[in-house]
Amino acid sequence: MRILEAFRAAYGDEPTGVWHAPGRVNLIGEHTDYNDGLVLPFAVPWGVTAAVSPRADGVVRLASLQAPGEEQAVEDLDLARGWARYPAGVVWALREAGHRVGGADIMIDGDVPRGAGLSSSAALEVAVAVALDDLYGLALPRIELAKIAQRAENAFVGMPCGIMDQAASALGEEGRALFLDCRTLGSRTVPLDLAANGLRLLIINTGVYHELADGQYAKRRQDCENAAKRLGVPALRDVTDLAGALARLSGDERRRTQHVVTENHRVEALVGLLRAGAVREIGALLNASHLSLRDQFEVSCPELDTAVEAAVRGGARGARMTGGGFGGSAIALVPEERLGAVRDEVLRAYQARGWAAPTFLEAVPAPGARRLR
Ligand code: GLA
């Protein structure tokens, strides 16, 4: 393991342990998590590995094979800079929550494809959270570690994300998707056996990430909170009479509400199909989710729309953008025999627009965070 060599080279000793946490794709339930809604992500085979030893002096030393020359040693966590704010934030959030967590020597390695929107930051946070949980004997439930990781990102890094990515990384299971209720934080896993159904889940990484993404994410969250307030409900999750709600709203708030309420129903419908073993039938829900994200939630972009449309033209049973939007990846549910045709169609569409070729990955549900040694 190259991370062991890197750890030895940086800190002159063996790490006490090595932990891994995966990234995620979201099958459906987009922009519902911060509306107390439903999501159905799964952990992917790529993620972040952390080799860690505890330190008695409270100092946190941080280094990453993906950030050469940016090693840091901080006693005051707030002095952590750049990539190191994610792991430093986890130490901060654990201490904030009252857990007795001392210092640590941390070495990071990762293989989440860059810019793919597969939650490399959540993987980084969760890898460090499970490591510190083990090393300091906290024995926190996985969902608590996910909440700690989210708190680090919200309050220390400054990105107002929901709980989905961290939960998927902490709770994912091989061969299964994670059905999570973001209000109760109750979850169940649902079988997602693509191969047995002659299907593949193709990730189409657009390779773009539009700059406005972070600001727009915060704005969408605000739109949703404003709409809920106007409707007099705690969260858009609580809207039961959609027609009645829409009649009382206008503009952005109306469109956001339309998306969130229908998306929650799509998650439930998709879970129902999976439980029935009808994996081949979920495509229509993926397509509907994409249109809603494009037209009502307005978080897609030409690169994602083009990938989705071309995938469906090429024979995908359904496709949608996945994650926050404004770039990153789309997913397509593709019958095995159509894989080549779908790829070709997407590549052709990108070439016709003069865009750099997207990259393709095949995702199967992988295990969630775990200790490797
Ligand atoms: C990002 C956030 C998640 C979630 C998705 C949209 O990935 O980190 O919490 O809100 O966007 O579904």
Side-chain angles (χ1 to χ4, degrees):
M1 272 177 121
R2 67 177 189 177
I3 195 170
L4 293 176
E5 276 160 46
F7 189 97
R8 270 182 231 121
Y11 305 124
D13 207 350
E14 294 292 315
T16 307
V18 179
W19 291 261
H20 176 86
R24 64 95 189 94
V25 291
N26 189 17
L27 200 51
I28 202 160
E30 214 68 84
H31 289 276
T32 46
D33 60 354
Y34 53 81
N35 290 297
D36 277 3
L38 307 173
V39 294
L40 190 66
F42 64 84
V44 290
W46 313 282
V48 169
T49 303
V52 187
S53 290
R55 288 176 66 92
D57 61 0
V59 170
V60 179
R61 294 201 285 179
L62 298 147
S64 164
L65 285 165
Q66 280 70 50
E70 292 176 47
E71 301 78 16
Q72 310 178 30
V74 291
E75 199 169 346
D76 175 358
L77 293 169
D78 217 27
L79 296 177
R81 287 288 162 260
W83 74 274
R85 287 197 74 75
Y86 294 87
V90 171
V91 180
W92 171 84
L94 282 166
R95 289 179 181 164
E96 269 277 307
H99 303 296
R100 301 173 72 86
V101 171
D105 285 339
I106 301 177
M107 176 60 69
I108 297 295
D109 194 7
D111 64 354
V112 183
R114 278 185 180 264
L118 301 180
S119 295
S120 54
S121 50
L124 173 54
E125 293 151 8
V126 172
V128 171
V130 292
L132 296 172
D133 179 68
D134 265 2
L135 290 173
Y136 283 101
L138 307 178
L140 291 170
R142 282 301 170 96
I143 191 67
E144 289 304 318
L145 293 176
K147 281 163 71 181
I148 291 285
Q150 183 202 12
R151 176 105 210 278
E153 187 148 346
N154 290 168
F156 199 83
V157 176
M159 156 68 182
C161 65
I163 187 84
M164 171 171 72
D165 307 344
Q166 291 80 6
S169 182
L171 294 164
E173 280 176 27
E174 190 169 5
R176 305 175 75 89
L178 180 75
F179 179 35
L180 174 73
D181 181 326
C182 299
R183 167 167 282 165
T184 64
L185 296 183
S187 68
R188 269 182 287 172
T189 59
V190 190
L192 178 62
D193 193 346
L194 297 161
N197 290 278
L199 296 167
R200 300 286 176 77
L201 199 94
L202 193 64
I203 298 177
I204 308 165
N205 178 4
T206 66
V208 303
Y209 184 70
H210 294 293
E211 267 169 39
L212 42 113
D214 287 359
Q216 289 296 318
Y217 186 91
K219 165 131 190 344
R220 293 301 176 283
R221 230 188 132 136
Q222 194 60 55
D223 291 345
C224 292
E225 279 162 26
N226 293 345
K229 200 170 290 167
R230 203 177 303 281
L231 294 169
V233 290
L236 289 183
R237 155 70 176 271
D238 301 296
V239 172
T240 45
D241 171 12
L242 178 60
L246 295 181
R248 295 168 60 193
L249 298 168
S250 63
D252 287 351
E253 288 174 22
R254 187 173 197 275
R255 284 191 292 276
R256 309 309 178 231
T257 302
Q258 162 92 33
H259 168 72
V260 172
V261 175
T262 58
E263 184 79 350
N264 278 328
H265 285 295
R266 282 186 287 271
V267 177
E268 287 187 313
L270 203 149
V271 168
L273 289 173
L274 289 185
R275 290 212 172 110
V279 186
R280 295 180 70 86
E281 307 306 320
I282 68 175
L285 291 167
L286 302 181
N287 292 333
S289 171
H290 185 77
L291 294 183
S292 180
L293 287 158
R294 185 189 73 186
D295 300 336
Q296 311 298 336
F297 218 71
E298 300 177 285
V299 290
S300 191
C301 61
E303 293 86 351
L304 286 168
D305 293 340
T306 298
V308 164
E309 284 156 27
V312 172
R313 261 201 318 277
R317 295 191 63 93
R320 58 182 289 274
M321 53 158 278
T322 186
F326 301 104
S329 295
I331 54 171
L333 185 74
V334 185
E336 262 153 25
E337 67 279 7
R338 303 294 302 181
L339 269 178
V342 166
R343 278 205 187 97
D344 289 348
E345 193 67 38
V346 173
L347 288 172
R348 251 200 308 278
Y350 268 59
Q351 202 173 26
R353 286 162 182 77
W355 296 338
T359 52
F360 300 94
L361 296 159
E362 280 178 36
V364 286
R370 64 204 178 275
R371 187 171 190 155
L372 298 182
R373 49 182 286 153

